[in-house]
Amino acid sequence: MASALLLAVAAVIALGAGHGAAFDPNPLQDFCVADTTSKVRVNGVPCKDPATVTPDDFFFAGVDRPGGAASRRYGFTALPVQIPGLNTLGASHARVDVAPGGVFPPHYHPRASETAVVLDGAVYFGFVTSYPDNRVYAKVLRKGDVFAVPQGLVHFLYNNGTAPAALYATLSSQNPGLVLLADALFGAGLPDDLLAKTFLTDLDTAHKIGAKFRS
Ligand SMILES: *[C@@H]1O[C@H](CO)[C@@H](O)[C@H](O)[C@H]1NC(C)=O
């Protein structure tokens, strides 16, 4: 009886710990290939009928070259590796290309840690720990190097060399989220006086910076 009670308590604690952890939920089946046509709203995307699943549902071609959405402001392109078979499996991938002089500016992923491998070129890559330390952990990475970014920490990538750089990034969530710090602060239309106080500067400087983000 006492041991049964202990077991029940342990089970409740284990359940609680599972819910508290900031990771995507564990899958309940081998796979749940995303049915992107479904109108059902769940935490993720509903599963296709497993009988209709094919090898192509786990396949993506083309990460040997740049692609995807381009940011002219920052000089990078990001190609999401879309694999329907990764739905609910707690992972997402992207190829990122950064032109010489380009940056993937300071940002964070609220729901994922990240590991990036350099495919080509060299980049200055790193992250900053949380307040009050604000410590930088960064390195110059070259082809074949891998760097990891803990979940939720601000990180950046700067191609301060003369050759184009390419990276392949893996994130530990299906939906990592992306907060670009400068865009969030200056592109959202927050009042100039609030921004001036935040950046310990004058109203005019805050306004000038904000105008560039809103143009
Ligand atoms: C890029 O910046 C890092 C950090 O400041 C520096 O160590 C590295 O030498 C720079 N690379 C080039 C090519 O200037």
Side-chain angles (χ1 to χ4, degrees), residues 59-86:
F59 175 79
F60 185 90
V63 293
D64 57 328
R65 51 190 180 272
S71 165
R72 262 189 291 152
R73 181 189 288 169
Y74 295 123
F76 72 79
T77 62
L79 174 70
V81 176
Q82 277 153 342
I83 299 179
L86 273 182

Side-chain angles (χ1 to χ4, degrees), residues 15-127:
L15 262 175
H19 280 281
F23 299 107
D24 289 2
N26 276 325
L28 301 174
Q29 58 245 316
D30 279 358
F31 51 72
C32 166
V33 173
D35 174 4
T36 49
T37 62
S38 174
K39 297 273 184 289
V40 178
R41 296 275 177 276
V42 291
N43 189 20
V45 182
C47 317
K48 241 166 91 159
D49 176 356
T52 67
V53 168
T54 70
D56 277 340
D57 287 318
F58 302 93
F59 175 79
F60 185 90
V63 293
D64 57 328
R65 51 190 180 272
S71 165
R72 262 189 291 152
R73 181 189 288 169
Y74 295 123
F76 72 79
T77 62
L79 174 70
V81 176
Q82 277 153 342
I83 299 179
L86 273 182
N87 183 44
T88 75
L89 295 180
S92 49
H93 302 222
R95 174 183 167 127
V96 175
D97 286 82
V98 190
V103 291
F104 203 118
H107 66 281
Y108 67 92
H109 307 290
R111 292 177 290 276
S113 58
E114 174 174 336
T115 307
V117 52
V118 178
L119 304 174
D120 244 321
V123 288
Y124 181 58
F125 185 106
F127 64 85

Side-chain angles (χ1 to χ4, degrees), residues 68-204:
S71 165
R72 262 189 291 152
R73 181 189 288 169
Y74 295 123
F76 72 79
T77 62
L79 174 70
V81 176
Q82 277 153 342
I83 299 179
L86 273 182
N87 183 44
T88 75
L89 295 180
S92 49
H93 302 222
R95 174 183 167 127
V96 175
D97 286 82
V98 190
V103 291
F104 203 118
H107 66 281
Y108 67 92
H109 307 290
R111 292 177 290 276
S113 58
E114 174 174 336
T115 307
V117 52
V118 178
L119 304 174
D120 244 321
V123 288
Y124 181 58
F125 185 106
F127 64 85
V128 184
T129 64
S130 49
Y131 183 85
D133 289 349
N134 303 317
R135 226 173 117 184
V136 178
Y137 290 81
K139 277 178 83 72
V140 175
L141 307 181
R142 296 188 171 78
K143 186 172 174 168
D145 292 346
V146 182
F147 205 76
V149 178
Q151 177 161 352
L153 295 189
V154 171
H155 53 290
F156 57 86
L157 191 169
Y158 176 26
N159 183 355
N160 58 344
T162 51
L167 290 95
Y168 189 84
T170 305
L171 293 112
S172 66
S173 168
Q174 171 168 353
N175 188 14
L178 170 64
V179 178
L180 289 158
L181 297 188
D183 290 73
L185 289 165
F186 286 104
L190 291 173
D192 285 342
D193 49 348
L194 169 61
L195 290 170
K197 284 175 192 290
T198 302
F199 285 88
L200 313 177
T201 187
D202 55 275
L203 205 57
D204 198 41

